[in-house]
Amino acid sequence: MQTADGGSRDNDRDREAPAVRRPADAVDPLAVSLALAAVHLGAPMAYHVETKRWLKRPWDVKRGLQHTPTVTVVIPTYNEARHIEEKLEDVYRQVYPRDRLEIIVVDSASTDGTAEKARRWGAAHPDADVKVVEEPQRRGKASALNAALAMARGEVFVITDADCRWPQKDALRRAVSWLADPAVGAVTCLKKPAADGPAGVEAGYRDRYNILRLAESKKWATPIFHGELAAYKTELLRKIGGFPLDIGADDSHTAARIAAMGYRAVAAEDLWCVEAVPHNSYHKWRVRRAQHLLQHFLKTPAAEAPPPMRPILLAEKYLHLANPWLLPAAAIVLAAAATPPALDLLAAGAAALALKPYRTWTAAQLYLMAAAIRNIRSKELVWEKQVK
Ligand code: GDD
Ligand code: MN
């Protein structure tokens, strides 16, 4: 608009603007929030791109397909009467020399007759070397695994949850073939959710994570192992003092400690486990497992790892411990600003939840945050059994 002196009102306003600007306006909440969201989504994407490069590498592992070390398969149980016989069958039907295979069921004071069932199964299969250890008190899975480690005779110590299945008859043979290489200290499976669980959610989440596990393994070692099938060189387990009693993710933490000693700890590309997904208490189950992973990452210093393992640990520690929090931080900045563009952006972020990959990702972030908060109150080292 023209004024009497020939200038424009708009120009006048522009000139006056700096005088009325308050310090609070110096930081644009929109920019802050977008920056937080960009790091929150960009960091895992950058890691994804980097891991894709690792995935293209050769394994550089000398596998021994004829390697048959003595093996101890340990099944820790707490109230697994529904699953124990099927699990024992699972191990029994493995194509592996029977005289080189020992099975230990360590039961921690189950109240549903699990130990009794395991003993009966053992008596009915005299050609299988089955030992059933009954702990008088439940002190948690890691403590039970340590009891098995104290008596294990196998050169390889394999742990497997009672409620998971090994779909491959040669799973053991495949697992130990990786351990034939003196550089490999531990090996784990990739996971498929059981078809009868809420597989949609789980399968989406698993595919992505299986690829990460493989890429990390090709580079050096993956810091996330699966109790459905984790095989360790027994002497290395003994060297690190067995399973940690103060960290729920006993499987992952032992693998990371073995990797810290300079050995490879890998997820094998040809080894699959089917894990049962609980029908109820699904969220509780995800939170508890996330709690255990956080405990593991908090206690695994990247600085002590061998150089090729360091970037893996740094990335995974950051992605699990810090990155989830950037998402609510971005939302809070927008909500606090409460300007129309900020609220529009917040609404757009919420609307994006209609996209499945983003929803799956966000759910995983929420589980991690809930887990961090719950860890303050209880580490859930002895946990409630969910029905699967
Ligand atoms: N002996 C013994 N003592 N065994 C136990 C105890 C215990 O106090 N608590 C649990 N277990 C056994 C279960 O019976 C099962 O065979 C196995 O340990 C895993 O426990 P689940 O209750 O089935 O837990 P999950 O399905 O969430 O397991 C996953 O997460 C755990 C950590 O949160 C797996 O990855 C486990 O390997 C992992 O330890
Ligand atoms: Mn389970």
Side-chain angles (χ1 to χ4, degrees), residues 163-227:
D163 57 7
C164 73
R165 295 289 159 262
W166 292 352
Q168 297 160 314
K169 277 193 179 162
D170 55 352
L172 270 186
R173 218 173 229 287
R174 289 177 192 231
V176 300
S177 74
W178 295 83
L179 296 173
D181 188 330
V184 179
V187 61
T188 193
C189 60
L190 300 173
K191 287 214 270 197
K192 279 185 200 168
D196 59 350
V201 196
E202 277 289 310
Y205 155 85
R206 278 286 155 224
D207 290 347
R208 223 187 91 79
Y209 287 84
N210 280 334
I211 289 173
L212 276 182
R213 300 292 79 80
L214 280 179
E216 292 168 341
S217 302
K218 281 193 163 183
K219 175 152 172 67
W220 184 258
T222 179
I224 299 185
F225 258 49
H226 304 309

Side-chain angles (χ1 to χ4, degrees), residues 31-105:
V32 172
S33 164
L34 283 173
L36 288 169
V39 176
H40 175 80
L41 295 171
M45 279 181 197
Y47 190 51
H48 187 74
V49 170
E50 181 64 9
T51 51
K52 276 263 164 87
R53 286 199 319 130
W54 299 345
L55 208 53
K56 290 196 197 110
R57 295 181 175 197
W59 273 99
D60 209 11
V61 170
K62 288 184 238 42
R63 291 180 72 178
L65 292 162
Q66 304 306 320
H67 185 51
T68 47
T70 50
V71 173
T72 300
V73 174
V74 179
I75 310 169
T77 58
Y78 175 70
N79 284 353
E80 298 285 6
R82 272 165 64 94
H83 296 286
I84 188 61
E85 286 163 337
E86 235 184 285
K87 179 77 243 181
L88 283 163
E89 291 290 341
D90 217 17
V91 182
Y92 183 66
R93 74 190 179 99
Q94 285 296 309
V95 182
Y96 205 80
R98 285 226 196 287
D99 58 339
R100 303 186 72 71
L101 179 60
E102 170 190 46
I103 304 175
I104 304 180
V105 176

Side-chain angles (χ1 to χ4, degrees), residues 76 78 80 108 138 141 162-163 285 288 292 383 385 388:
Y78 175 70
E80 298 285 6
S108 304
R138 184 179 182 200
K141 181 186 164 203
D163 57 7
W285 179 69
R288 187 245 305 153
H292 290 169
W383 59 86
K385 179 75 212 166
K388 295 184 197 110

